[in-house]
Amino acid sequence: MAVAADISPQSYYIQHHLVHLNNIGEKQSAVANFAVINFDSLFWSILTGAIVLFFLWRAASRATAGVPGRFQMAVEMLVDMVEDQAKNIVPNETSRKFVSPLALTVFLWVVLMNTLDLVPVDLMPWILKVTGLGAEHGDPVYYHRILPTADLNITLGMALGVLLVVLYYGIKIKKPGGYVKGLFTGPFHASGIGAVILAPANLLMNLIEYAA
C-alpha cells in the first residue's frame, strides 16, 4: 500500500480504512487469496457469535412457563418467526430441531455483525491511536476493519455453510432420487410432454435459486 507521502490525505484516509488487519500487513491485491487471513474479521465475527450464543443461552436459562418477562417475550417472538419460516422449508419436525435453532443463531449473528456498521467509522482507529496500538504505520493494529460482513471471506463462508445445510436436508428429506427429480419438476409443474419441455427451465431456476 502506498505511503501517505505518495497520495493525497483524502485518498490515504480512504485506503487506510479499507485495509484489513491480516497476516501480510497490507491490502490484499487479489480478490481471492486463500493465503490471506483477516484477523479483524475473525475477531469481530467470533465475538458477535459468542454474544449471540450468550444471549440465547441466557434466554433459555431464564425461561419460565409462567408469565414471561419482556426479554423472554422478545426471544419467543424471534423463535416463532424463525420456526414458521423453517416449517415452510423443512416439513420434517425432527429435522427442524436442528435447522430452526441454527437458522435463529445465524439470523441473530448476521444482524449483530451488520449492527457494527452503526459504530462511527473513526471510533476504532481513534481508540487504537490513543492506546498506541495503531498510531503509526507498522504498529500492531494500524490496519483494522470492524465490520465482518464487509469481508467477502465471512459472507461467502456463511453462504456456503447455509447452502451445504440446505442441500443436506433437501437430500435427507426427499432422498437422492426425489431430490434430483424435484430439480426438474419444480417450480413450474406440468405433466407429459409439458414436463419435458419445462425441465430445463426448472433446472435453471433451481440452480439460480441455490446460487442466489
Side-chain angles (χ1 to χ4, degrees):
M1 181 176 176
V3 296
D6 298 331
I7 57 177
S8 67
Q10 295 82 4
S11 296
Y12 184 77
Y13 171 85
I14 295 173
Q15 290 185 27
H16 171 267
H17 283 63
L18 294 178
V19 181
H20 287 280
L21 173 64
N22 53 40
N23 59 324
I24 61 176
E26 60 184 16
K27 184 178 180 180
Q28 181 176 325
S29 57
V31 175
N33 187 347
F34 296 103
V36 177
I37 302 175
N38 294 328
F39 299 119
D40 47 6
S41 298
L42 286 174
F43 172 79
W44 289 107
S45 59
I46 292 173
L47 177 62
T48 51
I51 293 174
V52 168
L53 292 178
F54 175 78
F55 171 81
L56 295 175
W57 170 82
R58 186 72 172 172
S61 62
R62 298 181 61 182
T64 175
V67 179
R70 287 176 293 182
F71 177 63
Q72 182 177 338
M73 288 181 61
V75 175
E76 287 181 354
M77 289 176 61
L78 290 172
V79 171
D80 290 339
M81 179 190 71
V82 173
E83 180 68 15
D84 291 339
Q85 294 290 328
K87 285 180 181 179
N88 297 328
I89 302 173
V90 183
N92 186 279
E93 185 176 355
T94 303
S95 297
R96 283 203 309 272
K97 291 181 180 179
F98 173 79
V99 173
S100 295
L102 177 63
L104 177 62
T105 304
V106 172
F107 169 72
L108 293 176
W109 191 16
V110 172
V111 168
L112 188 56
M113 284 195 292
N114 284 328
T115 304
L116 292 176
D117 199 21
L118 300 177
V119 177
V121 68
D122 286 323
L123 178 60
M124 187 55 63
W126 177 80
I127 293 175
L128 296 175
K129 182 178 180 180
V130 170
T131 56
L133 295 174
E136 299 178 357
H137 189 277
D139 287 344
V141 201
Y142 182 68
Y143 297 120
H144 188 91
R145 295 187 71 178
I146 193 175
L147 187 61
T149 49
D151 185 355
L152 182 62
N153 298 291
I154 298 296
T155 53
L156 186 59
M158 295 183 70
L160 288 175
V162 172
L163 177 61
L164 290 176
V165 171
V166 171
L167 292 175
Y168 170 76
Y169 277 97
I171 296 173
K172 179 181 179 181
I173 294 171
K174 298 179 181 179
K175 306 302 179 184
Y179 181 79
V180 173
K181 179 182 178 181
L183 294 176
F184 292 93
T185 57
F188 306 116
H189 301 283
S191 58
I193 189 65
V196 177
I197 295 174
L198 291 175
N202 283 328
L203 178 61
L204 179 62
M205 290 295 294
N206 281 294
L207 293 178
I208 292 174
E209 182 178 342
Y210 281 124

